Amino acid sequence: MASSRPGHKPAQPGKVYGAPGAGYSGHISLITSLALIGLWFLVTSAGWVRPLFLPSPFAVYDKFVSAMTDGVANSTLTEHALASLSRVFGAFFLACVTAIPVGILMGVNRYARGIFDPPIEFYRPLPPLAYLPLIIIWFGIGEFPKVLLIYLAIFAPMAIAARAGVRSVSIEQIHAAYAMGGTRAQIVWHVILKAAMPEIFTGMRIGIGVGWTTLVAAEMVAADRGLGFMVLNAAQFLASDTVIMGIIVIGVFAFAFDLLVRYLEKFAIPWKGRV
């Protein structure tokens, strides 16, 4: 029953108590971010931590400007970023056109599930560094092994998410579509695929996150530029300002792409959470 007290808005139908976790949290995230940055300023300005271990925000910003203009590790920051972006997004788009169809096929066909499920479930828990030496032995130290390592890390979560999306489709929807004369191909395209889209987008977000975490391992393979290479190279010389600057740049790129996928998700599947 809606409250009659002055200043209280009447409760919307079905939301008397509110859904768990409902409500806007952007202002809380902003306050948290500002508090963490303020703590960083406080710790470094007070000298509680040596600059070798935690440089000040001003030092990191100066290194960012220097990397953009003069460069670091024989390349500018832009060149490092473009090299890493081409590897991550190349592997991501390759995974999209292969992992999603494989996951859907695993969900609708038991033979495909029996073929693809064992190898995917076997290598999925393995850290990329575990099979990196084997990739080097098989494919050398060129550009292809770097992209392949990131691709393998992205492929498994995207395929599993697509399969889970297919398995979550309501059997009543499938029966209703068949009752209206739909063919098997039409059921897969118009019913199963659309119902699985939320899980597929979740798999894309997880996959690109895994791709960025695998970037540093991939650029250990005889790379001469890239954000991961830049961070590893700086760590060898204890240049913590460059390390932190590189970590921030990687985080900004990863977060920006995650926001892009969220926007595309709202555009592509506006019914998510409403049906």
Side-chain angles (χ1 to χ4, degrees):
M1 184 174 180
S3 173
S4 59
R5 290 179 293 172
H8 285 257
K9 296 181 179 179
Q12 297 181 5
K15 296 186 178 180
V16 177
Y17 299 104
Y24 181 70
S25 62
H27 59 287
I28 302 175
S29 299
L30 178 60
I31 294 173
T32 302
S33 302
L34 293 176
L36 292 174
I37 295 174
L39 181 62
W40 184 11
F41 274 103
L42 176 63
V43 169
T44 54
S45 61
W48 295 344
V49 180
R50 294 174 57 188
L52 175 63
F53 301 107
L54 183 63
S56 69
F58 298 110
V60 174
Y61 176 75
D62 291 340
K63 178 56 67 174
F64 173 80
V65 174
S66 175
M68 288 292 294
T69 55
D70 302 329
V72 59
N74 299 322
S75 297
T76 64
L77 182 60
T78 302
E79 292 172 335
H80 286 300
L82 290 176
S84 294
L85 287 171
S86 64
R87 290 163 186 155
V88 173
F89 289 120
F92 173 76
F93 288 120
L94 184 60
C96 284
V97 299
T98 55
I100 294 176
V102 167
I104 294 173
L105 193 61
M106 290 169 63
V108 300
N109 187 287
R110 63 189 180 95
Y111 294 104
R113 185 165 62 253
I115 293 172
F116 291 108
D117 195 60
I120 291 177
E121 291 293 348
F122 172 77
Y123 92 86
R124 179 183 61 85
L126 298 176
L129 283 174
Y131 47 86
L132 174 61
L134 193 59
I135 290 179
I136 296 175
I137 293 173
W138 286 352
F139 302 104
I141 57 175
E143 193 66 22
F144 176 73
K146 301 177 181 60
V147 177
L148 178 62
L149 185 69
I150 301 173
Y151 165 77
L152 290 175
I154 298 175
F155 181 91
M158 288 185 64
I160 292 174
R163 184 190 64 182
V166 172
R167 304 296 290 179
S168 67
V169 179
S170 172
I171 191 65
E172 288 79 9
Q173 290 179 310
I174 297 176
H175 287 169
Y178 274 122
M180 289 186 289
T183 64
R184 182 176 178 84
Q186 290 174 329
I187 301 299
V188 172
W189 181 257
H190 295 288
V191 178
I192 294 178
L193 180 60
K194 289 185 177 180
M197 287 298 288
E199 293 286 352
I200 290 174
F201 270 93
T202 300
M204 291 171 63
R205 291 178 58 191
I206 295 174
I208 194 64
V210 173
W212 281 109
T213 59
T214 311
L215 175 68
V216 177
E219 292 182 345
M220 292 174 62
V221 186
D224 57 359
R225 66 181 53 179
L227 295 174
F229 164 77
M230 181 185 71
V231 170
L232 291 171
N233 181 267
Q236 295 178 354
F237 298 97
L238 301 180
S240 54
D241 51 354
T242 304
V243 172
I244 293 178
M245 183 267 294
I247 291 173
I248 292 174
V249 171
I250 292 174
V252 168
F253 278 124
F255 183 63
F257 186 78
D258 186 74
L259 290 178
L260 176 61
V261 175
R262 291 187 198 179
Y263 173 78
L264 293 176
E265 183 180 21
K266 291 181 180 179
F267 178 78
I269 46 177
W271 65 85
K272 181 180 179 182
R274 301 178 184 179
V275 295

